[in-house]
Amino acid sequence: MTRDDGAMNADEPIRVAIDRWHQHLRGELPGDLESLLHEDCVFWSPVVFRPQEGRDLTMLYLNAAGQVFPGDESPSSSGDPGPSKSSFRYTRQIMEARTAVLEFETRFGDVAVNGIDMITCDDDGRIVEFKVMLRPQKAVEAARDRMSKMIAAMTAE
């Protein structure tokens, strides 16, 4: 976006990054997740003590989360036994400067999960930091168990 005088708005890179993140989630990102992440990207997990540094580790965690965090299927509102959508959905987005906070909800069985993705980008709109926070404690425990299994499966390949 540009202002009337032709200068870029200060928050344009984060809007570009978040637009591309949503494209990735829909499976519509030109290129791939790697093109969205800075090579020195850092991933902060809600259950791992140390930051996961570098694009490869960040991609591993984000790809595993993509398998785990759709959550369980939501029951069809029509009662139709056909395929239903996942329960994962973003409920709010706040963007300022180079940072966005995206609040989400999903379900793991009978556990309601509420969390945020805090995303920071560089001037080129590439993600340099991705931090996930979850609540309540049961959700953190369920995410830990599911992510551990998924990462083990993905790294065993």
Side-chain angles (χ1 to χ4, degrees):
M1 289 184 221
T2 58
R3 297 188 320 228
D4 290 339
D5 64 3
M8 281 192 182
N9 288 336
D11 63 350
E12 182 177 11
I14 194 63
R15 291 186 187 283
V16 168
I18 297 307
D19 286 347
R20 293 184 71 218
W21 172 247
H22 288 301
Q23 285 179 321
H24 165 70
L25 294 176
R26 291 188 308 265
E28 301 169 357
L29 180 65
D32 58 10
L33 180 57
E34 184 175 356
S35 68
L36 180 54
L37 302 174
H38 188 278
E39 80 178 57
D40 296 323
C41 187
V42 176
F43 180 81
W44 295 86
S45 165
V47 298
V48 178
F49 177 71
R50 286 183 270 225
Q52 304 303 301
E53 298 179 351
R55 184 180 352 201
D56 291 342
L57 279 176
T58 299
M59 284 179 49
L60 173 66
Y61 276 81
L62 291 175
N63 285 327
Q67 299 297 312
V68 167
F69 276 88
D72 296 331
E73 291 183 350
S74 297
S76 171
S77 59
S78 66
D80 182 347
S84 60
K85 294 183 178 183
S86 78
S87 64
F88 183 92
R89 66 187 179 99
Y90 282 114
T91 58
R92 186 175 1 177
Q93 259 183 196
I94 303 166
M95 290 185 253
E96 182 178 44
R98 300 287 184 268
T99 302
V101 177
L102 286 63
E103 184 175 7
F104 63 85
E105 296 175 351
T106 194
R107 296 197 67 78
F108 293 152
D110 63 347
V111 178
V113 180
N114 178 241
I116 64 166
D117 291 335
M118 187 179 304
I119 300 170
T120 305
C121 75
D122 63 10
D123 290 340
D124 297 323
R126 289 182 301 162
I127 296 173
V128 296
E129 184 178 58
F130 200 110
K131 185 182 294 184
V132 180
M133 295 184 210
L134 294 174
R135 63 165 303 280
Q137 183 64 32
K138 284 186 177 189
V140 174
E141 292 166 359
R144 177 198 61 216
D145 295 345
R146 290 174 178 221
M147 284 291 291
S148 294
K149 289 177 185 172
M150 183 57 64
I151 288 173
M154 293 173 80
T155 55
E157 296 174 354

